[in-house]
Amino acid sequence: RKEPEILLSSVEEYSLAYYEQKLHWKGIHTETSLWNTLLPLLFLDVFFYNEFDGLSFNPWPKSLEFQSLPLDFSEPEWISRRERITRVTLQKIKRGHGAYLLVKNWARWYGIDCYGIHWTAVKNECEHNIAVTEQKKRCLSLTELVEIVRCFESEQLYSISARWIQDPLGTLGQGGMPDLFLWNPEKSKSMCVEVKSTNDRLRPNQIACIHMLKEANFPVKCLKVSDFEHEFDWDTGAKRGKM
């Protein structure tokens, strides 16, 4: 029986379909939105920390219902005031407990407005189990997010998290993360892919984000659409010939 034809409207959709159908990776066209959901979820205890001595103001003066950030979030001192709990959280990530943090924070803070996280509740069995990435409006279940975290090497996730928590707005505020996030639960691996049309080039913010990921030894590939005309050895990048 002839398979139904699937119309793909962008180079990103075409590339994502290739990875999913031919190489059997799971994936999402996300750019920065997945990272703006996943990283805050790991650090909700830091965001909502409110046990300060000698601070002249309260970072959370209003009900959490109407405030998504501590008042000092944009100040250089915001993380130094939370140094201990930040250090503890990063150590847990480094020791491979990222999935545990995700589940714990989800259970404790679900539905509370917070920077980067867009919650939604849907009916029936999915209620209280869905987060929405901002940019592409892609729903991700808690199960998927845990699966994604488990596809990072601990040192990779630690390095990216340590860089981000020092300056969340500066790290991802200008966008630039690669188009696709891909993960393979069977191999416990994940990677990012930036896809460009034939005449397109990397922008400065994209170069900066790719450099950050590579510093964390996180796999990143930059591909032209024309590359998909060939069979690739995706571990080495070598072309195997026309498809």
Side-chain angles (χ1 to χ4, degrees):
R1 189 179 65 178
K2 185 177 180 180
E3 293 294 330
E5 184 177 359
I6 300 175
L7 298 178
L8 302 172
S9 60
S10 68
V11 294
E12 294 85 4
E13 289 183 13
Y14 179 86
S15 306
L16 184 58
Y18 185 92
Y19 274 98
E20 290 179 334
Q21 296 171 16
K22 281 191 167 289
L23 304 177
H24 310 296
W25 285 66
K26 294 184 178 183
I28 176 175
H29 176 204
T30 178
E31 299 176 20
T32 305
S33 58
L34 172 63
W35 300 95
N36 275 336
T37 298
L38 182 62
L39 293 172
L41 274 170
L42 292 170
F43 287 92
L44 287 181
D45 284 347
V46 176
F47 273 78
F48 294 126
Y49 183 76
N50 201 25
E51 299 176 13
F52 299 95
D53 295 323
L55 198 62
S56 59
F57 69 97
N58 182 357
W60 293 100
K62 300 182 289 184
S63 166
L64 295 183
E65 182 180 357
F66 303 107
Q67 186 177 341
S68 62
L69 286 172
L71 292 182
D72 60 340
F73 182 69
S74 60
E75 297 179 9
E77 299 82 11
W78 99 276
I79 203 63
S80 63
R81 292 170 179 153
R82 300 158 178 82
E83 182 177 359
R84 181 182 175 279
I85 190 170
T86 301
R87 185 171 62 251
V88 168
T89 301
L90 285 170
Q91 283 302 311
K92 289 179 179 177
I93 294 171
K94 193 171 187 178
R95 292 170 183 163
H97 302 318
Y100 163 78
L101 283 172
L102 204 63
V103 173
K104 179 180 73 72
N105 289 341
W106 189 289
R108 182 178 182 185
W109 300 108
Y110 183 90
I112 301 297
D113 193 19
C114 181
Y115 166 80
I117 302 174
H118 292 254
W119 307 103
T120 184
V122 294
K123 296 179 181 179
N124 302 325
E125 70 276 8
C126 293
E127 189 170 3
H128 303 312
N129 283 317
I130 300 292
V132 179
T133 59
E134 177 181 8
Q135 189 174 24
K136 302 301 176 186
K137 303 301 181 187
R138 162 74 156 88
C139 291
L140 290 170
S141 68
L142 175 58
T143 301
E144 286 178 299
L145 289 169
V146 168
E147 188 176 75
I148 287 170
V149 166
R150 287 176 174 164
C151 288
F152 281 87
E153 294 178 9
S154 297
E155 286 288 342
Q156 293 172 347
L157 188 58
Y158 167 78
S159 178
I160 294 168
S161 298
R163 169 75 175 269
W164 176 80
I165 194 61
Q166 295 295 327
D167 184 14
L169 295 177
T171 305
L172 296 181
Q174 302 301 314
M177 293 297 270
D179 295 310
L180 308 182
F181 185 93
L182 302 159
W183 70 98
N184 189 321
E186 293 184 2
K187 298 180 179 180
S188 296
K189 290 185 177 181
S190 55
M191 65 176 171
C192 283
V193 175
E194 176 65 31
V195 185
K196 293 295 184 185
S197 59
T198 305
N199 298 318
D200 202 2
R201 295 183 179 181
L202 292 172
R203 300 187 299 274
N205 62 333
Q206 293 175 324
I207 294 172
C209 286
I210 289 171
H211 182 67
M212 177 191 72
L213 293 173
K214 287 187 173 181
E215 281 188 332
N217 292 318
F218 187 81
V220 185
K221 299 181 185 295
C222 299
L223 300 174
K224 296 282 189 180
V225 176
S226 56
D227 291 333
F228 291 92
E229 296 176 358
H230 301 80
E231 286 281 8
F232 265 75
D233 181 331
W234 296 98
D235 292 325
T236 66
K239 293 181 180 180
R240 292 176 175 168
K242 289 274 186 178
M243 288 175 54

